[in-house]
Amino acid sequence: MKQVVVESGVNKIDVTLEDMEIKVVKDLADDLMNRLNSGIITIRVEDEEKVTIIVKVSDDLISEYKAGDILKTIIEPFGGRGGGKPTMAQGGYTK
């Protein structure tokens, strides 16, 4: 498993990948969350033209952290768009 970093008492995993299908990335995010149990996972997938980001937040943390809000802070500076549910959001931007 990727290294887990604890920030403000919250387990976090950040992963950067290249040229992967989004379905595979979503499956990876689900697998990591099942292993982590509680935390926030951010996966960035880059190809030549765009960056896609998947954010997952465990159910126990959604009162404080929403996947869509986290995603927005990552992609808005680049003019990106995205959305989702409190526990999972997906978005991206063009390079």
Side-chain angles (χ1 to χ4, degrees), residues 15-60:
V15 180
T16 299
L17 305 169
E18 292 184 16
D19 294 321
M20 290 192 71
E21 293 181 29
I22 295 305
K23 175 163 181 4
V24 173
V25 176
K26 287 181 178 181
D27 289 345
L28 172 63
D30 289 340
D31 183 56
L32 289 172
M33 187 58 76
N34 287 336
R35 294 176 190 210
L36 192 60
N37 293 319
S38 175
I40 299 170
I41 297 170
T42 305
I43 302 177
R44 171 190 309 265
V45 181
E46 298 187 26
D47 65 26
E48 290 182 16
E49 300 174 1
K50 66 182 178 179
V51 176
T52 302
I53 297 174
I54 305 283
V55 178
K56 296 237 359 159
V57 176
S58 58
D59 290 333
D60 64 312

Side-chain angles (χ1 to χ4, degrees), residues 64-80:
E64 291 183 64
Y65 304 96
K66 305 276 190 285
D69 294 343
I70 295 168
L71 177 68
K72 187 190 297 188
T73 63
I74 297 169
I75 63 175
E76 276 191 346
F78 302 99

